[in-house]
Amino acid sequence: MSSAAAAQPILYSYFRSSCSWRVRIALALKGIAYNQVPVNLLKDGGQQHSAEYKTLNPMQQVPTLKIDGITISQSLAIIHYLEETQPNPRLLPQDLKKRAQVRMISDHIVSGIQPLQNLSVLERVGEKKMEWAQHCIKSGFQALEQILQHTAGRYCVGNEVSMADLCLVPQVFNAERYKVDLAPYPTIMRINKALLELEAFKVSHPARQPDTPAELRA
């Protein structure tokens, strides 16, 4: 491996992890080359629980990014670091009111929807995990649809891709996985469709990752 390759950031990721997908989109948008290390959340009892990985991420979650001599976990913390160190293209608007809206929508998804239907929670729920996931996503999407009706242009906040959009698309993917009826959320679906046309969202898609099972590849 060349010294240039060795200096590239390393992203520990799982192809279907929505949190990992957020970071992959950010890296793609900002044109940051990186090496990807798959962490299979299901294999071997969950590779995120291995002693080796736990030293990188004590929460035993993905993603984890090694960059610039530090190790960062939590997707929004990673995205904020990328934004502050490589601010072009912007993922946070310059306008402070729009910036607050972007953060609000991001937190709505990252704190109010996704954690309630992630793997560790569903394992605890047991037989009713599909029903539980659908309930959590529907409840969150009902609120999100109302919010976006006031903030959206082409994307979540106006007409520029922002951190909120990086959170939205993976969450819609989760909703589709859990067979949520998305007809009641036309604003969400319109924005999601527009974003999936962008190259950064395509190359980072779960169907196109190194660890994507062959039967799920695009």
Side-chain angles (χ1 to χ4, degrees), residues 132-183:
W132 173 261
Q134 290 175 344
H135 167 75
C136 295
I137 295 170
K138 287 177 183 178
S139 177
F141 272 19
Q142 286 169 7
L144 184 58
E145 177 70 18
Q146 292 182 38
I147 292 168
L148 292 174
Q149 287 172 4
H150 296 285
T151 66
R154 181 167 177 79
Y155 306 122
C156 283
V157 178
N159 297 315
E160 293 185 0
V161 175
S162 71
M163 185 168 63
D165 299 298
L166 276 58
C167 298
L168 179 75
V169 169
Q171 187 56 57
V172 174
F173 180 82
N174 282 345
E176 292 171 338
R177 280 184 60 213
Y178 293 119
K179 305 186 186 306
V180 173
D181 178 10
L182 296 172

Side-chain angles (χ1 to χ4, degrees), residues 29-151:
L29 283 169
K30 291 181 179 293
I32 301 171
Y34 63 96
N35 295 314
Q36 190 168 163
V37 176
V39 179
N40 193 308
L41 303 185
L42 302 176
K43 188 177 179 180
D44 304 323
Q47 294 175 348
Q48 71 275 23
H49 302 308
S50 70
E52 180 182 2
Y53 188 71
K54 191 175 179 180
T55 62
L56 289 173
N57 189 327
M59 283 294 288
Q60 303 168 59
Q61 298 172 336
V62 291
T64 302
L65 183 68
K66 295 179 74 172
I67 186 170
D68 299 339
I70 61 171
T71 301
I72 316 171
S73 59
Q74 299 299 328
S75 61
L76 289 197
I78 294 170
I79 294 168
H80 277 296
Y81 179 80
L82 298 176
E83 179 73 357
E84 290 164 354
T85 56
Q86 302 199 44
N88 293 311
R90 285 193 306 266
L91 296 178
L92 286 170
Q94 290 182 317
D95 180 87
L96 294 182
K97 293 178 181 178
K98 289 184 177 180
R99 184 174 291 210
Q101 291 173 329
V102 166
R103 286 175 167 149
M104 171 183 67
I105 293 165
S106 300
D107 284 342
H108 181 89
I109 297 168
V110 171
S111 300
I113 304 177
Q114 189 272 329
L116 299 175
Q117 48 89 111
N118 72 4
L119 178 62
S120 61
V121 170
L122 294 182
E123 286 176 342
R124 293 285 184 178
V125 171
E127 293 181 0
K128 293 188 176 182
K129 63 183 180 180
M130 181 68 76
E131 180 183 341
W132 173 261
Q134 290 175 344
H135 167 75
C136 295
I137 295 170
K138 287 177 183 178
S139 177
F141 272 19
Q142 286 169 7
L144 184 58
E145 177 70 18
Q146 292 182 38
I147 292 168
L148 292 174
Q149 287 172 4
H150 296 285
T151 66

